[in-house]
Amino acid sequence: MFFKDIIGQQNVKQRFLRSIQTEQIPHAQLLCGKEGVGKLALALAFVRYLNCTNRSETDACGVCPSCVKMNKFIHPDVHFVFPIIKIEKSKKIVCDDFLPEWRNFLSENTYFSYNQWLETLGDTNKQASIYTKESDEIARKLGFKSYEAEYKTMIIWFPEKMHQDCANKLLKLLEEPPEKTLFLLVSEQPDEIILTIQSRAQRINVRSIPQEDMIPALQQRFALSEEDARAIAHISEGSFTRAAEIVSLNNDTVFFSEQFAELMRSAYRVGFITKPVEKSIGLKGLKTWSEQMAGEGRERQKAFLSYSQHMIRENFILNLKQPQLNYMTAGESSFASKFHRFINEKNISGLMNEFGLAEAHIGQNINAKMVFFDLALKSIMLLRNC
């Protein structure tokens, strides 16, 4: 990854370039931003430029020995930490055990999501973590002298997934870092990182990608017309990952859209049915829906609930009759054209709270059947308030 390959983010690029050129490099930096804005790409480009032995004023050369190693993510002084899934009856509990998969994944993906990484690991039913033993690996690797670069670099992707003991041990390294050591923490939910780690890292907010930067990137990578690229850039809300999913008609997005529509339609019908027999049938249908959703992996369940909150928000905004503020695909807009009037100031807060609470409960491993059926029942009552 080079600086030239990163979509937008000129301010962060210039900040990184200046810090290296002036040799004023903070030992710990926390890159924060939503999915798909290029946080990890920036970290990789920064490290490539830092270690390049023939760099220009704006980018790495791409051909020196350091750059050649970075092409394959095998630089001996650049280490990676990332969430992994502990496999039963296996000793795989540190990131090095998954390095081949990680390197292949990085080689094939420039902008990607946490869920896409879980799919690569092959088990979306489990939640990935950075386990306690990883802290010993971090300390061991940073305890060695650099092989060839001036700095030893530790890139930690999703530090919010660290177990508490791991985070506490990392804190000690941040407080007293080995000489010429650089930590790059890449986070989507920095508030979930322990405060003492946050306070010891220089925070860099990576903002959404401007539409005018997104449009040419979409045209180049997906051979889109300017009109189509502009429409997708608007819908993606500054996330290139979401834009790519829209282009490829990602199956998860289609599935989430269908499930959200089914839940809302069924809940609305049950809420206004007066005949006991028909109401009973409707409730059984919602119970079946809840059981089907409970059969999905937990990360996919959380992604659906997050998507649902997005759709509730978009349907509410549609009532404002300002289409430039809406970010929906054609399929989502088709459903919303009839449904949006049922999301208003009377129930928007309640719906958002219930879906947010359900997402939190799924994250806490509460029984998914109970969570989704309870959510369906709450949706009935809230839609009746429209």
Side-chain angles (χ1 to χ4, degrees):
M1 175 57 65
F2 294 84
F3 283 126
K4 65 183 180 182
D5 297 324
I6 295 168
I7 306 166
Q9 309 303 351
Q10 295 303 323
N11 290 339
V12 181
K13 291 180 193 178
Q14 291 302 317
R15 177 175 179 165
F16 278 160
L17 289 169
R18 282 196 305 272
S19 70
I20 294 174
Q21 292 164 0
T22 60
E23 298 184 353
Q24 295 180 342
I25 304 172
H27 81 281
Q29 301 179 65
L30 175 60
L31 284 77
C32 309
K34 69 179 185 180
E35 176 188 291
V37 297
K39 303 180 298 299
L40 182 58
L42 282 163
L44 292 170
F46 176 81
V47 174
R48 178 190 284 272
Y49 188 75
L50 175 67
N51 294 332
C52 179
T53 57
N54 190 32
R55 60 187 179 232
S56 69
E57 290 186 1
T58 58
D59 220 331
C61 71
V63 295
C64 70
S66 174
C67 284
V68 170
K69 292 182 178 69
M70 283 301 297
N71 290 340
K72 299 179 181 179
F73 308 104
I74 57 173
H75 196 293
D77 296 313
V78 179
H79 307 285
F80 294 97
V81 173
F82 44 85
I84 58 175
I85 294 174
K86 186 180 288 187
I87 301 172
E88 292 182 10
K89 299 180 180 179
S90 172
K91 295 181 180 180
K92 287 188 175 183
I93 53 174
V94 295
C95 295
D96 277 2
D97 296 313
F98 294 85
L99 266 181
E101 293 91 337
W102 177 251
R103 287 168 175 158
N104 288 337
F105 187 70
L106 289 181
S107 297
E108 296 172 359
N109 299 271
T110 307
Y111 290 74
F112 56 87
S113 68
Y114 175 73
N115 283 338
Q116 288 170 336
W117 169 237
L118 287 187
E119 289 175 1
T120 299
L121 292 178
D123 194 343
T124 57
N125 286 309
K126 295 182 179 179
Q127 297 191 61
S129 296
I130 298 173
Y131 296 100
T132 301
K133 190 174 181 180
E134 198 64 49
S135 57
D136 296 330
E137 287 293 298
I138 294 172
R140 181 183 66 80
K141 291 171 183 175
L142 296 182
F144 296 132
K145 291 184 178 180
S146 298
Y147 285 91
E148 55 188 66
E150 182 180 2
Y151 284 85
K152 293 168 289 184
T153 304
M154 185 66 61
I155 299 176
I156 304 178
W157 185 60
F158 269 86
E160 56 265 41
K161 296 293 183 181
M162 286 189 292
H163 278 198
Q164 185 69 36
D165 288 344
C166 181
N168 289 334
K169 291 182 179 180
L170 175 64
L171 175 61
K172 294 180 181 178
L173 289 171
L174 292 176
E175 290 175 332
E176 300 178 8
E179 187 178 0
K180 290 292 184 178
T181 297
L182 174 63
F183 291 90
L184 293 174
L185 285 66
V186 182
S187 172
E188 288 184 10
Q189 297 174 309
D191 291 341
E192 293 187 8
I193 303 170
I194 61 174
L195 289 174
T196 42
I197 286 181
Q198 292 185 51
S199 66
R200 283 161 178 76
Q202 186 176 96
R203 182 162 177 161
I204 300 173
N205 292 318
V206 184
R207 304 191 183 282
S208 298
I209 302 170
Q211 288 189 37
E212 295 309 313
D213 291 326
M214 181 90 74
I215 291 167
L218 289 170
Q219 288 181 279
Q220 179 182 0
R221 301 192 190 194
F222 300 108
L224 299 175
S225 67
E226 182 178 352
E227 182 180 2
D228 288 342
R230 186 173 296 278
I232 291 171
H234 175 72
I235 296 169
S236 68
E237 298 184 85
S239 167
F240 193 77
T241 303
R242 174 160 166 74
E245 289 176 346
I246 294 168
V247 172
S248 62
L249 294 176
N250 181 268
N251 288 333
D252 272 353
T253 301
V254 174
F255 173 76
F256 293 160
S257 178
E258 291 172 348
Q259 295 306 310
F260 176 76
E262 181 179 344
L263 171 60
M264 293 295 102
R265 289 191 184 109
S266 298
Y268 179 80
R269 284 197 298 265
V270 171
F272 288 90
I273 289 174
T274 56
K275 296 181 180 179
V277 174
E278 292 181 6
K279 187 177 287 286
S280 176
I281 292 173
L283 288 171
K284 287 180 180 178
L286 284 172
K287 185 172 182 294
T288 299
W289 175 88
S290 303
E291 292 170 348
Q292 290 173 344
M293 284 304 304
E296 300 294 328
R298 286 197 176 269
E299 292 303 326
R300 202 174 189 208
Q301 291 167 359
K302 290 195 295 183
F304 164 73
L305 292 165
S306 176
Y307 169 87
S308 297
Q309 292 168 71
H310 161 74
M311 286 303 297
I312 291 167
R313 199 162 45 238
E314 293 304 316
N315 277 271
F316 177 70
I317 291 174
L318 195 57
N319 283 318
L320 302 178
K321 302 188 185 306
Q322 296 188 40
Q324 73 275 13
L325 297 177
N326 274 116
Y327 301 91
M328 291 185 286
T329 64
E332 291 167 344
S333 295
S334 176
F335 171 70
S337 65
K338 297 179 180 178
F339 176 70
H340 72 274
R341 63 182 182 274
F342 302 115
I343 306 295
N344 51 47
E345 64 279 359
K346 295 180 181 178
N347 58 18
I348 176 68
S349 295
L351 284 166
M352 291 295 288
N353 289 340
E354 292 301 334
F355 275 84
L357 184 61
E359 183 179 0
H361 284 165
I362 291 296
Q364 296 164 4
N365 290 325
I366 294 175
N367 185 286
K369 289 182 182 179
M370 294 174 57
V371 171
F372 281 106
F373 191 56
D374 181 66
L375 178 64
L377 296 177
K378 296 285 181 56
S379 297
I380 293 171
M381 300 305 297
L382 288 163
L383 288 176
R384 286 194 62 173
N385 290 336
C386 65

